[in-house]
Amino acid sequence: MLSAHDRFQRGALIDHHMAHTFEAREIGFWWYLLSDAIIFALLFVTYGVMVDRTAGGPDAAALVDLNRAFIETLCLLASSFTFALADLAAEGNDRPRTVAWLAVTTMLGGAFLCIEGLEFIELVLAGAGPDRSGFLSAFFTLVGTHGLHVSVGMIGLLALLAQIRVFGLSRPVKSRLRRLGLFWHFLDVIWVGVFTFVYLAGSL
């Protein structure tokens, strides 16, 4: 039978171990984000090299819809803001608000993906698919890779909502929410680059 002092020491040891584990996972996640940043840097460079290789097909000015890209940007920026509100609500152990803000984030991410998917479908139907030219291959690869990351983030959001429903705002759930938030904000930063170098520069 453990004494009260022993139970306290055991609890403190478990807390220390959990804190160390979460810290190690967060550091590992930063390394993952760094590797992802390198991948996107390479895709941006590739796009820059291929932007004039149109092979007689449409160039950036012909296919860029700046208004649609602006709406996509608003959706993603707003979703990053709502994710931050969800994180704050989780820190305050406010489960209903955390779930509500994560649900709004999921809807905004879904809206972004729908608009991007519609853009891709329209381009392919217009004969401007990724096999049309080097420029379009680079365009679909860069924008599509970002969209794929958003899709993975959406799966993470849905999984997180399910975990909150089952486990509540436990420490492991909060730790996963924090890491997913880093990932989501990272995608926001990457999209600002995509919007600037692909859509905004292409419309000039």
Side-chain angles (χ1 to χ4, degrees):
M1 187 76 177
L2 294 175
S3 65
H5 180 263
D6 290 339
R7 286 197 298 272
F8 174 78
Q9 283 194 320
R10 184 178 179 182
L13 186 63
I14 292 173
D15 284 346
H16 176 74
H17 176 70
M18 288 181 69
H20 179 72
T21 301
F22 295 149
E23 184 179 348
R25 287 176 180 173
E26 190 164 318
I27 292 173
F29 199 74
W30 275 108
W31 279 108
Y32 161 72
L33 291 181
L34 179 61
S35 67
D36 237 12
I38 293 172
I39 290 173
F40 275 107
L42 292 173
L43 292 178
F44 274 112
V45 170
T46 302
Y47 178 83
V49 171
M50 303 298 288
V51 70
D52 294 324
R53 311 291 175 85
T54 59
D59 58 7
L63 64 83
V64 162
D65 185 339
L66 196 56
N67 291 328
R68 179 158 49 190
F70 184 67
I71 295 172
E72 288 179 271
T73 303
L74 288 180
C75 287
L76 214 52
L77 291 176
S79 73
S80 201
F81 179 67
T82 56
F83 204 125
L85 292 176
D87 198 14
L88 287 174
E91 287 301 316
N93 291 316
D94 191 334
R95 180 171 166 173
R97 285 184 183 274
T98 303
V99 170
W101 286 123
L102 287 179
V104 175
T105 303
T106 305
M107 287 189 286
L108 289 168
F112 173 86
L113 286 177
C114 287
I115 297 171
E116 187 168 89
L118 182 64
E119 177 186 25
F120 281 9
I121 290 171
E122 288 180 359
L123 288 174
V124 171
L125 291 178
D131 57 339
R132 178 64 182 82
S133 66
F135 158 65
L136 284 167
S137 294
F139 171 83
F140 274 92
T141 302
L142 174 58
V143 180
T145 300
H146 178 269
L148 181 63
H149 277 67
V150 174
S151 301
V152 172
M154 292 279 292
I155 294 171
L157 279 166
L158 294 173
L160 195 60
L161 284 168
Q163 289 179 26
I164 292 174
R165 179 179 177 83
V166 175
F167 303 112
L169 291 172
S170 61
R171 288 183 66 182
V173 169
K174 284 183 179 179
S175 175
R176 293 184 194 111
L177 187 149
R178 181 176 173 77
R179 291 196 296 277
L180 184 59
L182 291 173
F183 180 70
W184 199 260
H185 298 316
F186 168 76
L187 294 181
D188 208 1
V189 172
I190 294 296
W191 177 257
V192 171
V194 172
F195 176 77
T196 303
F197 291 107
V198 176
Y199 291 94
L200 192 57
S203 67
L204 298 178

